[in-house]
Amino acid sequence: MAIVLETLFKILFMFLLIMGMVPALIWAERKGAAFIQDRTGPNRASIAGIRLAGLVHPIADVLKLVFKEDVNPADRHHALYNLAPWLVMTVAMSTYAVIPFGDWLTVGGQRIPLVVADLNVGLLYVLAVASLGTYGVVMAGWAANNKFTFLGGIRSTAQMISYELSMGLALMGLVLVFASLRITDIVAGQGELLFGFLPKWGVVVQPVGFLLFIVAVFAETNRNPFDLPEGESEIVAGYHLEYSSLKFALFFMAEYCHMVVGAALIAAFYFGGYQIPWLPRPVLEANAGLLLTIKLAALVLFSAFIAVLFLRRVQRERGKFGDARDREPVLGMVFWAGLAALAAGGLLLRPWAVGPVGADLVATVFQVLAFVAKVVFFAWLFIWVRWTLPRFRYDQLMNLGWKVMLPLGVANLAVTAVVLALV
Amino acid sequence: METFLFWFCGAAMVLGGLMTVVQRSAVVSAVWLIFAFVAAAGIFALLHAPFVAILQVLVYAGAIMVLFLFVIMMLQGPVLEGERRRMKPALWPAVAIPPLAVLVLVGTRIADHGTAAFTTPLPAGFGSPTHVAELLLGRYLLAFELISIALLVAIIGALAIGKEERKLPWK
Amino acid sequence: MSFEGLPPGSASKKRSFLESIYVVEVARGLAVTMRHLVGNILRTDRMPTMQYPEEKRVYSDRFRGRHRLMKREDGSPSCVACQMCSTYCPADCITIVAAEHPDPAIEKYPASFDIDLLRCVYCGLCEEACPCDAIRMDTGIYEIAADSREAFVVGKEFLLNNTTDGTR
């Protein structure tokens, strides 16, 4: 019974992490895109006149999509048309089952591993689920009975077949190095040091594999340089053209879920997952008090600094707009000052003197935070790349997949095997 | 729990297989076949062979069926109803041959060895990637390599046939 | 591979090895976008975007906005219904119905003077054609919106009460 309960809690944590990141990523995408292109981006949706730099927009989007009419093409294939969005979403979410987000959490003297399902073939599970991901897209494209959606589905299959191979080959190099298909083993192996000073991260031992993997992940998530299945300029919106209302919302959310999955995979396979470089678990636990103190102090200083920046804005922009927006800098100042006060309050609790139980908890929290930070960075990388690179042409896509990435993957695997046999 | 899952996966698999044969639209058939493959993977997982279960999804449900769908969709295009054609009544018994063959195989196995073969405990590490790799690259190495050569020959043959310049009606 | 639509020379440009492996060039591109992002976050107020309904662009005095009809000192329209503007109008958007003026010194006056703002191309030729400076486009109004096509056909009374300062 206990194991069912803890698994449910772990699933809940992962679910909340993803579902919390999706609106944040949508905001980051729109605002980041705007700032990269020298625009201000969305800032109109407001609650009682407070706009919060567009943070209200995701709520407005959701409300709009929920209350919109669900328009369907008349000649659709009913069952597959309705199944497709759910399939896309389910597949996007199920990869998380095997990604560890921390070492362990000690509850009542028992160590609970922080991964939902510790499969001994976890890495293959990732590949298997990724390969199922294309079905939702294909079904959507075919069942809507529209030439544009159909072309989007066809493109998606062709792209999937081409890049799945390179993804698998890139990961096989990693499997050779860490000698396991279990993702927890791979992440644990990345906590070691190479030559005594370099963290043995996947990106250090497998740089070519990392490049291949990140390109393949971009292709699998259908994100920008590889978003041919929805190429607006050629096939309108591709596979989800005929969807509206909540069904479209599912496709939209699935795209961001895929991004978070991709980011989590890159972090887990090539950037040490929850490992903090040079701070393995025993060191973390031994110095938990010191680290917590430093962390809280840094938080105090940082929040205070941001609060001061907001204070300056409050003084400079007094009565600039003449409506509720004048109160926004005040809100920001109060928020950051409150955070600083909270952290300072934490310092008063003498964090440098935590006991062994507390040290364990602190170490776990630090590792989970490290994992989340890495995921956030790589999720941002997806957005950043989208607003930097143009889309590939179809022949370029196929050339890159078959003539560059596949041979490189095979070569990388062979070189890795030879080097490992010699060492 | 395991018994329930077994019957669940088994029923799903049989349903998937039946629907694959019964459906008129080739694309829908393919989708049911994927469903059957995933159910089969569930049965493999229940038989303590997670590696084979994952490979079942990765290779059959993932890679091969994507190719199948790709080809079917390229040839068939967006939603089209297949022709309504009835099977000749004389051929109906043919449908029963594959399930009967399986029943006979399992039946002779039980008659020879009794049910003991199904209930003996499994050796440690059974079905793990290491176990499969040892069998594949040890005991069955020759067969494994011969099959890969056969597949290579098939690929080259397909390329050779596909590459041939054909007379097209509009040329 | 060659494409016919490309300007001469662009397809034949030889890429260096570093350019052809993409990685370095992608990193350079990412640096460019990051520079814009950070620069814009640090100096939000210097962004060229204008927050339109709150802030409005200041146009030159010569900007041709919505038309107005000038008045004589007694408040009647200066227009003498000579049909010059409607004849000259390239968009054919001015409709004038003339009537005899009670004052014998003035020949005619416009019984109705309609402008279809949806047809108007804001070229200003009516201003130039007018012999008695009765029509001007100096109101500076450019926010011309309505809920129906009929509402865009504005009549004499409306045009007479258009003012230069932008208020109605």
Side-chain angles (χ1 to χ4, degrees), chain A residues 31-32 34-40 43-44 51 211 320 325 380-381 384-385 387-389 392-393 395 400, chain C residues 1 3 22-23 25-26 29-31 33-34 36-37 40-41 44-45 47-55:
Chain A
K31 208 74 183 169
F35 276 30
I36 281 172
Q37 298 169 346
D38 296 344
R39 297 182 284 116
T40 42
N43 61 359
R44 289 287 146 177
R51 291 172 170 185
L211 278 180
K320 181 181 170 192
R325 275 174 297 151
W380 163 247
L381 184 73
W384 187 10
V385 166
W387 300 104
T388 302
L389 298 182
F392 273 101
R393 217 170 46 215
D395 60 315
L400 184 73
Chain C
M1 185 167 293
F3 289 92
Y22 294 129
V23 180
E25 293 296 305
V26 167
L30 288 176
T33 45
M34 189 41 100
H36 276 263
L37 178 80
N40 284 328
I41 287 178
T44 322
D45 44 339
M47 250 188 276
T49 311
M50 186 158 270
Q51 298 298 324
Y52 162 63
E54 291 95 15
E55 301 168 30

Side-chain angles (χ1 to χ4, degrees), chain A residues 282-357:
Chain A
V283 183
L284 261 182
E285 282 184 27
N287 302 316
L290 178 68
L291 285 169
L292 191 60
T293 314
I294 294 174
K295 171 89 185 171
L296 283 176
L299 195 60
V300 169
L301 288 178
F302 179 73
S303 327
F305 175 67
I306 303 272
V308 168
L309 283 187
F310 269 108
L311 182 68
R312 279 183 50 197
R313 249 186 83 184
V314 170
Q315 289 167 339
R316 204 172 56 225
E317 296 179 359
R318 180 160 306 184
K320 181 181 170 192
F321 299 105
D323 57 26
R325 275 174 297 151
D326 286 333
R327 272 178 257 142
E328 278 177 9
V330 182
L331 267 183
M333 193 188 69
V334 169
F335 175 77
W336 287 102
L339 203 61
L342 212 64
L347 275 178
L348 286 180
L349 292 173
R350 293 157 36 86
W352 48 89
V354 285
V357 179

Side-chain angles (χ1 to χ4, degrees), chain A residues 124 131 135 138 142 145 150 157, chain B residues 34 51 61 65-66 70 73 77-78:
Chain A
L124 291 176
S131 71
Y135 285 122
V138 174
W142 183 77
N145 201 4
F150 177 67
T157 28
Chain B
I34 298 162
F51 184 67
M65 287 315 292
V66 169
F70 183 75
M73 283 167 54

